[in-house]
Amino acid sequence: MGGDTMTGRIIETDADVKEGAAYLSGICPRLKAAYAQTGDLPLRRSEDGFERLLSAIVSQQVSVASANAIWTRLKTAGLDTPCAVLGASEDALRGEGLSRQKARYARALAEAEIDYAALRAAPDAEVIATLTKVPGIGVWTAEIYAMFSLGRADVFAPGDLALQEAARLIYDLPERPKERALRQMAQDWAPWRSVAARLLWAYYRVAKDREGIR
């Protein structure tokens, strides 16, 4: 398994996810019970780079169906690279379904000239800090990128409503924990916080019969 002292553990295979789930089941009976209901957790690894973050911007505040349709249009038009986005007018980007604000975010991402290869070796905090400097990329998007595009094993996304709701159900809380409270709770799940996130999303799907994340 990959990883070093800079990045910590890197999740690369289903076996890595199972290792994390076994650890979490061993430290918390409630997580163990939730895992018994969800079964094996998805790996959810995805590519990294500009295209992945542009896709995340497209997905913001629209349905999965709408996001998929807009993304297909952008790719068909060849507007999925930094050079293409910088060479396109705002009208051209909007013509493929982006709002004016998202067209600006797409250009800001292209202009940021992020060194995506360097991010693979950067500490988690540096990854989040680098990405959130770009307009349109908030902490949640940066955390999801670190988890799934970079495979970081100990990143969590406490601002995610599905994770908050799953935590409420699993721990029988009177209300959803707010972001700060859930971040505090998640400290107990180190060094496998991103596997805990996978478990909570999977439990949300079981409990609510709908996906909590695209």
Side-chain angles (χ1 to χ4, degrees):
M1 176 171 168
D4 57 30
T5 54
M6 289 287 285
T7 62
R9 296 288 296 264
I10 301 295
I11 292 174
E12 295 171 336
T13 67
D14 288 318
D16 298 330
V17 177
K18 285 183 177 177
E19 182 185 345
Y23 173 85
L24 294 167
S25 295
I27 64 167
C28 177
R30 287 180 182 262
L31 291 181
K32 183 177 181 179
Y35 186 39
Q37 292 190 53
T38 65
D40 288 343
L41 304 174
L43 180 59
R44 282 195 182 276
R45 279 302 306 265
S46 58
E47 73 286 347
D48 67 335
F50 174 83
E51 189 174 319
R52 187 66 186 171
L53 285 171
L54 182 61
S55 174
I57 288 170
V58 167
S59 298
Q60 291 171 3
Q61 298 177 322
V62 297
S63 69
V64 171
S66 294
N68 287 341
I70 295 167
W71 183 243
T72 298
R73 287 169 63 179
L74 285 171
K75 283 187 72 71
T76 301
L79 294 172
D80 56 353
T81 67
C83 286
V85 169
L86 288 176
S89 66
E90 183 180 299
D91 285 344
L93 293 170
R94 294 188 66 199
E96 301 304 334
L98 291 182
S99 65
R100 177 175 277 113
Q101 186 178 53
K102 286 185 180 179
R104 290 199 195 106
Y105 290 164
R107 293 181 68 84
L109 179 62
E111 289 166 352
E113 297 184 341
I114 293 169
D115 185 340
Y116 294 102
L119 280 187
R120 294 172 193 165
D124 296 339
E126 186 180 319
V127 171
I128 305 299
T130 298
L131 296 181
T132 53
K133 287 176 185 172
V134 181
I137 297 180
V139 173
W140 181 88
T141 298
E143 288 165 338
I144 297 298
Y145 184 88
M147 268 193 257
F148 299 144
S149 293
L150 299 180
R152 302 303 171 87
D154 200 31
V155 173
F156 198 71
D160 187 277
L161 291 179
L163 293 182
Q164 292 173 8
E165 178 64 8
R168 182 187 73 79
L169 294 168
I170 290 170
Y171 288 94
D172 196 23
L173 303 174
E175 60 185 14
R176 282 183 195 161
K178 298 287 195 294
E179 181 172 354
R180 185 174 176 183
L182 186 54
R183 192 178 293 279
Q184 186 74 31
M185 281 179 67
Q187 289 181 4
D188 291 341
W189 306 329
W192 289 105
R193 277 177 278 194
S194 75
V195 177
R198 286 168 170 83
L199 175 53
L200 266 61
W201 273 311
Y203 187 81
Y204 179 89
R205 185 180 182 219
V206 169
K208 299 290 188 176
D209 195 31
R210 65 175 186 263
E211 292 288 351
I213 188 169
R214 181 182 174 212

